[in-house]
Amino acid sequence: MSLTLMANAAAADPVVVLELYTSQGCSACPPADELLNELSSEDGVLAFSFHVDYWDYIGWTDTFGSRENGQRQKMYAKGFGERMVYTPQLVIQGQAAVVGHKAEKVNSVIGKLRQHQPEARITAVREGDLVRVTVSPVSKPVDASELYVVRFQPEATVKIGKGENAGREITYSNVVTDWHLAEFWSGDAPEEYDLPVMGDQPVAVLLQKRGQGPVIAAALAR
């Protein structure tokens, strides 16, 4: 996906954030990876691939997998009242989880979320090793929230040598290489934050209700 398309997605109102929890070692994941590739080019969508490492033991070490990504998925599962995590799982706007390759269900949830007026607005401007973020309530104060900084690789093609997908070459979109909780926002009034970032990869900022809850705003740093 081009940076132009991602910028358009960041500017759309509202923005729907998709988090695909996937693994290069999971035979059920390639159709979900392909669907995310398609969705990532849509206006009003910020779509990310979060690679997990908990399937590495079956024969192939995911080149992008991390324990932190799996922990983020488990945090969502706890909030959704689920006892297990799986791949491919698509978390939509931090508030709904569906099997990652079920396009009809995914598009239905996205359509419903697009009908909701955002509770907050966010802008993110990249200035060297800083991202200047401004957040504000749309019409009334919102619940206390967290600002997450997400760095990602726009596209990566991997030839998988072992495991369930051995011999396949798979292209991934917006592969998350780092994410972290950067700041807190009370939700009462507009605030501005200068958040440090490293490297030249694209950066997005997610505003989520406390405890990694629903995403209430998101933007690509431009």
Side-chain angles (χ1 to χ4, degrees):
M1 178 174 69
S2 71
L3 288 180
T4 299
L5 286 172
M6 288 190 294
N8 288 341
D13 188 16
V15 172
V16 177
V17 175
L18 308 179
E19 301 178 39
L20 177 64
Y21 290 88
T22 185
S23 171
Q24 295 168 8
C26 161
S27 61
C29 285
D33 299 319
E34 184 175 347
L35 177 60
L36 193 82
N37 293 347
E38 297 171 5
L39 293 169
S40 67
S41 65
E42 290 192 8
D43 287 343
V45 169
L46 282 176
F48 302 104
S49 298
F50 280 82
H51 286 242
V52 299
D53 67 352
Y54 52 76
W55 295 127
D56 289 358
Y57 77 93
I58 61 177
W60 176 255
T61 299
D62 192 302
T63 57
F64 299 113
S66 76
R67 180 171 298 180
E68 290 77 14
N69 290 348
Q71 290 172 337
R72 182 172 173 86
Q73 186 186 20
K74 289 176 183 177
M75 186 71 172
Y76 277 130
K78 182 179 179 180
F80 298 151
E82 298 174 352
R83 300 177 63 184
M84 300 176 62
V85 294
Y86 63 90
T87 56
Q89 183 183 51
L90 189 67
V91 175
I92 305 174
Q93 207 70 348
Q95 56 187 281
V98 300
V99 177
H101 56 70
K102 293 189 176 294
E104 185 174 342
K105 177 64 174 178
V106 170
N107 285 316
S108 174
V109 175
I110 291 174
K112 290 177 182 177
L113 289 172
R114 280 177 166 162
Q115 297 173 18
H116 297 168
Q117 175 68 28
E119 296 180 59
R121 298 192 187 280
I122 184 169
T123 62
V125 179
R126 184 77 180 263
E127 298 178 356
D129 290 336
L130 290 175
V131 172
R132 178 156 293 173
V133 177
T134 301
V135 292
S136 59
V138 170
S139 59
K140 60 182 180 180
V142 300
D143 293 341
S145 302
E146 303 165 336
L147 278 168
Y148 288 88
V149 172
V150 180
R151 290 192 303 149
F152 59 97
Q153 183 173 336
E155 186 175 287
T157 299
V158 179
K159 187 171 183 179
I160 299 172
K162 297 179 181 179
E164 293 183 351
N165 291 316
R168 300 191 66 167
E169 190 171 85
I170 301 175
T171 297
Y172 301 98
S173 291
N174 299 346
V175 179
V176 173
T177 57
D178 177 74
W179 65 272
H180 64 274
L181 174 59
E183 263 293 355
F184 296 96
W185 179 46
S186 67
D188 295 330
E191 292 284 352
E192 186 175 276
Y193 305 92
D194 286 337
L195 308 180
V197 294
M198 301 295 292
D200 57 2
Q201 289 184 331
V203 173
V205 182
L206 311 183
L207 182 65
Q208 297 188 257
K209 292 187 178 180
R210 283 282 178 93
Q212 197 185 294
V215 175
I216 58 175
L220 178 73
R222 294 177 289 168

